[in-house]
Amino acid sequence: MNIHHLELFYYVARHGGIAEAVRNIPYGIQQPAMSGQIIQLEEFLGVTLFQRRPFALSPPGEELYQFIKPFFDNLGPMADKLRGGISQHMRIGASEIVLRDYLPPVLQAVRKKFPKLKVTLREAYQPQLESWLQKQELDLAITLLDGKPPSGASALPLFKLPLVLVVERGSKIKSAQELWERDKIEETLISLPTNESIYKSFQQGLSRLKVDWFTGIEVGTVELVETYVTNGYGIGLSVAIPKTKHKPQIRLLPLDDFPPVTFGVLWQGKLKPITQAFLTTIQDAARVLLS
């Protein structure tokens, strides 16, 4: 059997499909190329290894996966052992604003202790990051913490972020209280997905006030919230991130009586020396950010 074909099949079986395997394999390969090589493996063996839609391993596919899994699972630990037992690779997931504006100096500080540091960065928000972490596709997720950590995960809270409403600078609305005093809020609410902590905390606050106001436009990032507000689509829901520069066309209205959201780091399993160093460094950075 072609060993490279076996490696590709390992990633397909581990991640539940060819498209997911392409996104997670540690080197570049296009989906048609992977699909073609998996077909070659199936033709060589004379069996179908998995059902494509919905994905499911066939009995021969499950047998082959269980045979090759220990070898490919242990390649990373073996590499660490040959390097002297200290892994210098971290897979980190976070939102775009964290990866762009806040993470670079943290990684620079960690690299002083681990000069051979290698980092894989993935951009996403809370629900997707938690899913990747549980699938062991990330070592660390820098994200909002929603109550109890996901099963098997540990959490390090860094700080709390207060909720805010985002309005156009020329808006006549001067405070959130003006909205709560209305019989009905006509403006469209622009927010992150409803399974995000920000939206959940906002709805908790509205519930206490006995106010109904639900998402009219759902976007993927806090930057898009501001973009749609500046273009006149409605009022945005966001958080007050320390030392963030906002678009000049907007104003932030505090939501002081609403529960804040907690921002921090999630991980699974025992901490390695490099991840422990990262957590210590990001704690220091958080204290400086809030000072």
Side-chain angles (χ1 to χ4, degrees):
M1 284 184 281
N2 185 307
I3 300 300
H4 179 56
H5 292 173
L6 290 178
E7 180 190 28
L8 297 181
F9 171 68
Y10 164 79
Y11 278 96
V12 170
R14 179 181 175 183
H15 296 288
I18 291 176
E20 283 294 317
V22 168
R23 283 193 286 269
N24 288 283
I25 202 164
Y27 52 83
I29 184 171
Q30 297 297 314
Q31 190 166 329
M34 178 177 278
S35 180
Q37 292 181 65
I38 293 295
I39 291 173
Q40 291 179 42
L41 177 61
E42 290 180 318
E43 290 176 347
F44 174 80
L45 296 173
V47 297
T48 298
L49 294 172
F50 57 91
Q51 173 183 298
R52 268 58 175 176
R53 294 181 183 176
F55 177 84
L57 289 174
S58 66
E62 181 65 36
E63 185 175 4
L64 179 61
Y65 178 57
Q66 293 304 323
F67 177 74
I68 66 174
K69 185 176 183 293
F71 172 76
F72 288 107
D73 279 353
N74 286 301
L75 282 178
M78 175 54 70
D80 294 341
K81 183 179 179 181
L82 295 175
R83 294 187 190 106
I86 299 178
S87 172
Q88 296 202 25
H89 180 211
M90 286 192 298
R91 300 167 301 167
I92 301 172
S95 66
E96 180 184 357
I97 190 171
V98 171
L99 296 179
R100 184 190 66 223
D101 297 340
Y102 299 98
L103 193 58
V106 174
L107 293 178
Q108 287 177 355
V110 175
R111 180 166 276 132
K112 292 178 181 178
K113 299 179 181 178
F114 296 88
K116 295 181 180 179
L117 173 65
K118 176 185 175 184
V119 182
T120 301
L121 303 176
R122 298 183 69 179
E123 185 271 326
Y125 272 69
Q126 180 188 354
Q128 183 63 73
L129 292 173
E130 290 182 357
S131 174
W132 286 341
L133 191 70
Q134 290 185 311
K135 293 179 182 177
Q136 298 183 357
E137 296 170 14
L138 291 177
D139 299 309
L140 298 163
I142 308 170
T143 183
L144 297 176
L145 305 180
D146 192 3
K148 186 178 179 181
S151 178
S154 301
L156 172 67
L158 294 174
F159 48 78
K160 293 186 180 295
L161 295 173
L163 300 185
V164 295
L165 292 179
V166 184
V167 298
E168 291 182 88
R169 180 161 293 280
S171 172
K172 295 180 180 180
I173 302 172
K174 303 303 179 185
S175 71
Q177 187 62 35
E178 296 178 29
L179 296 172
W180 315 149
E181 292 172 353
R182 297 181 185 177
D183 292 332
K184 183 180 180 181
I185 302 175
E186 300 291 346
E187 288 85 352
T188 299
L189 177 62
I190 307 164
S191 79
L192 294 173
T194 56
N195 57 351
E196 288 270 0
S197 293
I198 294 173
Y199 185 80
K200 293 178 184 178
S201 293
F202 182 63
Q203 288 301 326
Q204 289 176 20
L206 290 182
S207 179
R208 287 202 294 267
L209 295 170
K210 295 182 171 54
V211 173
D212 291 330
W213 192 23
F214 303 102
T215 297
I217 298 178
E218 185 177 294
V219 296
T221 68
V222 292
E223 291 91 342
L224 280 176
V225 169
E226 294 190 9
T227 296
Y228 275 78
V229 171
T230 59
N231 283 278
Y233 283 91
I235 296 175
L237 171 64
S238 189
V239 287
I241 303 173
K243 300 182 182 179
T244 295
K245 293 182 179 179
H246 298 281
K247 297 178 184 295
Q249 305 97 320
I250 65 166
R251 288 186 291 111
L252 302 183
L253 304 181
L255 294 172
D256 296 330
D257 296 331
F258 283 62
V261 293
T262 302
F263 184 79
V265 186
L266 293 170
W267 71 91
Q268 282 193 318
K270 185 178 179 181
L271 287 172
K272 300 176 183 178
I274 195 168
T275 48
Q276 181 62 67
F278 178 88
L279 292 179
T280 300
T281 305
I282 202 170
Q283 279 183 296
D284 293 341
R287 283 191 286 268
V288 171
L289 187 65
L290 295 174
S291 63

